[in-house]
Amino acid sequence: MSHAQTRSQPAPALGDALAVRYAALRNLSEALVAPLSDGDATIQSMEDASPAKWHLAHTTWFWETFLLRDHLDGYALFDDDWPFVFNSYYEAEGERIARFSRGMLSRPTLEEVLAWRAHVDAAMARLIDREELAPLIELGMAHEQQHQELLLTDIKHALFQNPLGAAMWDVAGKQAKSRSDGWLRHPGGIARIGHQSDGFAFDNEGPAHRVLLEPFALSSRLVTNREWADFIADGGYQAAKLWLSDGWAWVRDKAIDAPLYWRDGEQFTHSGWRERDPNAPVTHISYYEADAFATWAGKRLPTEFEWEAIARGQEGEGPAHDPNGGNQLDGASPPLPIGADGLFGDCWQFTRSAYLPYPRFKPAAGAVGEYNGKFMSGQFVLKGASCATVRGHSRASYRNFFYPHQRWQFTGLRLAKDI
Amino acid sequence: MSHAQTRSQPAPALGDALAVRYAALRNLSEALVAPLSDGDATIQSMEDASPAKWHLAHTTWFWETFLLRDHLDGYALFDDDWPFVFNSYYEAEGERIARFSRGMLSRPTLEEVLAWRAHVDAAMARLIDREELAPLIELGMAHEQQHQELLLTDIKHALFQNPLGAAMWDVAGKQAKSRSDGWLRHPGGIARIGHQSDGFAFDNEGPAHRVLLEPFALSSRLVTNREWADFIADGGYQAAKLWLSDGWAWVRDKAIDAPLYWRDGEQFTHSGWRERDPNAPVTHISYYEADAFATWAGKRLPTEFEWEAIARGQEGEGPAHDPNGGNQLDGASPPLPIGADGLFGDCWQFTRSAYLPYPRFKPAAGAVGEYNGKFMSGQFVLKGASCATVRGHSRASYRNFFYPHQRWQFTGLRLAKDI
Amino acid sequence: MSHAQTRSQPAPALGDALAVRYAALRNLSEALVAPLSDGDATIQSMEDASPAKWHLAHTTWFWETFLLRDHLDGYALFDDDWPFVFNSYYEAEGERIARFSRGMLSRPTLEEVLAWRAHVDAAMARLIDREELAPLIELGMAHEQQHQELLLTDIKHALFQNPLGAAMWDVAGKQAKSRSDGWLRHPGGIARIGHQSDGFAFDNEGPAHRVLLEPFALSSRLVTNREWADFIADGGYQAAKLWLSDGWAWVRDKAIDAPLYWRDGEQFTHSGWRERDPNAPVTHISYYEADAFATWAGKRLPTEFEWEAIARGQEGEGPAHDPNGGNQLDGASPPLPIGADGLFGDCWQFTRSAYLPYPRFKPAAGAVGEYNGKFMSGQFVLKGASCATVRGHSRASYRNFFYPHQRWQFTGLRLAKDI
Amino acid sequence: MSHAQTRSQPAPALGDALAVRYAALRNLSEALVAPLSDGDATIQSMEDASPAKWHLAHTTWFWETFLLRDHLDGYALFDDDWPFVFNSYYEAEGERIARFSRGMLSRPTLEEVLAWRAHVDAAMARLIDREELAPLIELGMAHEQQHQELLLTDIKHALFQNPLGAAMWDVAGKQAKSRSDGWLRHPGGIARIGHQSDGFAFDNEGPAHRVLLEPFALSSRLVTNREWADFIADGGYQAAKLWLSDGWAWVRDKAIDAPLYWRDGEQFTHSGWRERDPNAPVTHISYYEADAFATWAGKRLPTEFEWEAIARGQEGEGPAHDPNGGNQLDGASPPLPIGADGLFGDCWQFTRSAYLPYPRFKPAAGAVGEYNGKFMSGQFVLKGASCATVRGHSRASYRNFFYPHQRWQFTGLRLAKDI
């Protein structure tokens, strides 16, 4: 999951609007943890995940460090020792605690972290209308939005560890349906890729540049739970020839035989164990699984460029299409004019593109410029947005990235083929 | 740390007295966690340790399972799923969750566990005066006393992980002093070892039997922090020839160079980082370290039989001496008439005896009979009692046991020599 | 390191010529192991490497299985059990032994394996002029050439483990010099990439296709040992900001502070420890190191497409240039007309391109078609050829690939920059 | 397996006799490796085992270092670098190579090691009759005898890794039979334990001392393969309640379900896979398995003192009985007068005694005094001798020791019970 800085500087909004959006953002973070106990918010289920409390604190550290400490005269740190603890991987900002010991931080408590948030929000009110800080504030907001998604996926994984079937919400989420069924054809040619508008984007989304595409088609819909069940029934997890070599080693070593969170006809959700809808998009699969499924289906995964070209509604150098924003955990995404279902808001969609720098990419200077570039080895790009992605945090140029074995995010797939 | 059953059945007390002792015991457990947050009580710092909440729940599970479920008509389990979760290693009682996932149990919360305790205590009141259950109740009390000590040592280890120097108490504990200085000589001969009275004991303390001792002397006092600092200053942790082969591998692999919880002139305590008293007994050392220190000092560790013979004040077949009870974290133990300091109540003292069955030892039948016997490989016996041992839970025949690398208990040493 | 099949079928040579080339190839394999003892040829130093004897046997298994067994009437296997043992990862050909247990195969001995080779070569003489088998024979020869390079790099790694400084040759190899110094500029545009001639190529080198390049420049020479020493002296291995995140974790976990095979002013070679030539190209570095060096130098690694475009001497869609062949461990490669030094024959050169399928790539059917496709995750492409690459086994379209931490091959780098 | 020094100094033999015994000993070592290839002698199958060549070299290093270097004027080391390589764990003698890299020593070759042996033997001829060196020579001989047994068990384990069923001898060994069937009763009382004669013994066999025994009985025979098959058929490997806690974890983690070297009705031997004799003693079991079997059988393992008391034919303080010598891999041991079968020469027999120092044990000074004492944690004592123990290398006071999971030695068991 990426951290980054603004590529384009125009102040996108008035201070007032920013203040409103800032308040809404911060409130959302706190609303997400409202159903959690202090213990829920403290535990860490694996190295890839962080405690809910840590996400609340880390995002607050960001505001305190890069905005308040650096730009608000007379601001006093809420606690002198906490920055060390809630820094993440910003090496330039000093030592940090080993990643897997985040789950040992029973202190500060959830209540104390919420008090810190209130303290920082009060101070932020004195900065929020300073126009020269708007780009940095936009970055902080994008950063906290990313952590809101991680908070949701991490706490899901933590509650999943509990044999008692712990839930944080009572109501079952509505599962998205894959409705359309067809292929979106693209004639190939030169496409323009990467962030091109005045809005906010992370550094890894640029520079915008041209790529040469061969003719291809992209499925108008996501692969469903029913299709995945067919793959399982057909022995997909036992057939070495379907798998990448590393993927086959992973399947055997970890005894993988289904997506994460599946058991019998159920899947684990934020509302506990629930019946699985065969028509909903499959989620919580790894790149290895996505690739094996595509091979089994006689298709392939799209490249990130193919996906983006379709999402932009462009052929050749046509104008970019601005997709509708994603949705918050309700899985219902409106169809695009060109007929693609679930591009944004259901699940992140694996591409066969390795996560690498675009031509002429340069990491920004300074601590806040850490880093998307430093993660550019061994990972794959995912496009779109999931049901846990905050509204307004999705766009066609967004590049999410994960290692090929990771699957605790809402990850799914959409098939492609040569034409 | 041992779990067990009564070896001798005489009901040791009236129901009334039992009821009082039961209430005091249960209150003590809850008093120990009073300073803890829900998060504090939930986290688990390593596989050897358990969350505070788990100790509260597991001891309650014991009462509910072996007393209420089996002996109280009409008793309904507080929650049908919790026994699976809070069983420990009683294989006969069904599947249990992997030991290291105890720290993932954010649910039930601390508050819910305390409610369970109240529910069980109310039901126990209806059983407590049934004379035929007294031995089982005594066992349950001894069991909960063991877990009180573990709760204290485990939470200390958990708080120690926190780089913010978390504390659960404000007041520094008074550190015990080693006062006397001399050698308690024993002429050798046949000594009677093991549990011999009518009181409660765990199965591994018997059968009582005779052993043949060579003449020896036992130090009248515990090794101190000052002496340990001398050992360090003399290069003790760098001198391969002082160490057991396995110990030397451990020292190098883990980069060990001081007792656990030491830094500079301080040591970590339940009250956070505190100045270290050079005259207090050294604690939190492993068997490997204790053995290397003894070699460095030109002495050796005593056997469990030598220690017990001295503790009983006996020579040959002389009468047993009843030691004074241990103390709760204040480290002050009254000297024995024969002049030994700190036999009980400061720290567990390593012996060079492997933890093995006494002649004619037989594990008891049934689930409650699990097990001290099953731990009889690879561990060493410790005698005495520590500052975290509950008053009334110490006796000369007590056999504590740990693996030679473990040191999160209050473990120390007392030297011996041949004469 | 890739295994594969022919993409283009025209029989490239008369049977006679093939027979001569086959004999030369097989003799070369045996010449390479002539200085080795039975023990040298048996040991395996890590999972990535295989014993020399295993390479001799595995290549022989290939001929016996895919040529003799399938195409020579009446051929009897030399030993019925050996195919199981000397298969590599061809899952379709049956179970194989765990990769890291190859070093336990003291039987068959080196002498017995050589006898097997003689037996197979005698039978091959009866097949070698069958025209319809020429493509398969070409594949077997390319396969054995690949293993000749691996044999050399694997035995180097094995001898390196020996604290006695074992050598297999007495004479020091002549080290290549980087002579030219400049930048080869490319104006960008559409370039044609991939295998385009009638000659042999592995499946992963095609299909040929077009890519769109931005203007760039490629260094006319390889990075040298002297430059690498400067990088070390400047604290390159201690500066987190130069490294990819995974690379930094690798450097710290493995305590990496120099290329593999370096000590003081020396480097380990097939002829033992030898003085290091500052003007020779640096070798035995990982992708992580190559990337960090490029960042330190203010440059970047080229993409595989940039490298190939320069190697073909093409700009835009210009005609391909056929590079001169590589050299066998003598490091002397003639300069290309366009001025690039050491494109082939000194070391494999890391690109920043992940190893992924070209557009419309399809794995071939059948066991022999295993596999280059199955390795397409987590690895990076290297271009060129090393001093251990067999003459005639290099071409501009060749795609070698390794994981970013691997460095026991002769791996080096050539810088690139945007213009 | 112990290394040590003489406890008692009387020169046990004339120089002439010593010279004859020395020559026979050295010839035996070389005869053992006669069927091995250079590769066989080079490989190492696990950290616990060493290559055959290493045993040949290490024992030679012992003679060169402690006899020739220290006591023969003008002796020049055969090779200055080899002592570093072939030292084992004698820390006082300088750095040594990591234990698991012994299998990387393809150089020196087997032939070169044999040349070293000849060189050392020639020099030893000039020392062999110096009376003051006799104790040290006796120690060197006992040391080489130990390594002869290890050489046999280690090469068996190495050949076992080979899926081709490698063998070093053609003839099947005669398997010992358990003939007698009964219980040898002992009334208890004080027994004298430990080395008591003028002959050679390792340091850990003394000091001789008295122990107090309870009445017990020891089986007159060893447990057989047939009985072990019954244990398996009765679900012994699936019944948690039979196992020590550590043993159960080991069984599940390693998926253990039979002794090492068993498959179907066969067992792996130095002569390859051979039919298993149901009446032969079971071998290649771990302490965990031995203990679980005894529990299943309603019996227990003897203590080392009980075993020795029976082997000495003594009751109370009676005179020691000198057992007949062991046998070399033929498994036929003559019955003792008191009726015990297979005390020596079939297999090492696990006792329930931890390997700990006898009262007043003191390690000797100097490098040669390393070390039995340093292994005194975590291991169990085995008594007797196996079919791989050299004739003349067994005695009632011998204390072999292994970790409870190890089973690549010829380890078996003899039951005991309380009476």
Side-chain angles (χ1 to χ4, degrees), chain B residues 70 111 216 273 329:
Chain B
D70 291 357
E111 197 175 2
F216 71 96
W273 288 99
L329 284 170

Side-chain angles (χ1 to χ4, degrees), chain C residues 35 37-40 42-45 81-82 84-85 97 103-109 159 161-164 166-167, chain D residues 35 37-40 42-45 81-82 84-85 97 103-109 159 161-164 166-167:
Chain C
S37 67
D38 182 43
D40 290 337
T42 298
I43 61 177
Q44 178 182 24
S45 58
D81 294 330
W82 292 10
F84 165 73
V85 171
I97 58 166
M104 289 297 104
L105 296 172
S106 57
R107 317 283 179 89
T109 62
L159 295 175
Q161 309 305 313
N162 195 318
L164 299 170
Chain D
S37 68
D38 183 42
D40 290 338
T42 298
I43 61 177
Q44 179 182 23
S45 58
D81 294 328
W82 293 9
F84 165 73
V85 171
I97 58 166
M104 288 299 104
L105 296 171
S106 57
R107 317 282 179 88
T109 63
L159 294 176
Q161 309 305 313
N162 195 317
L164 300 171

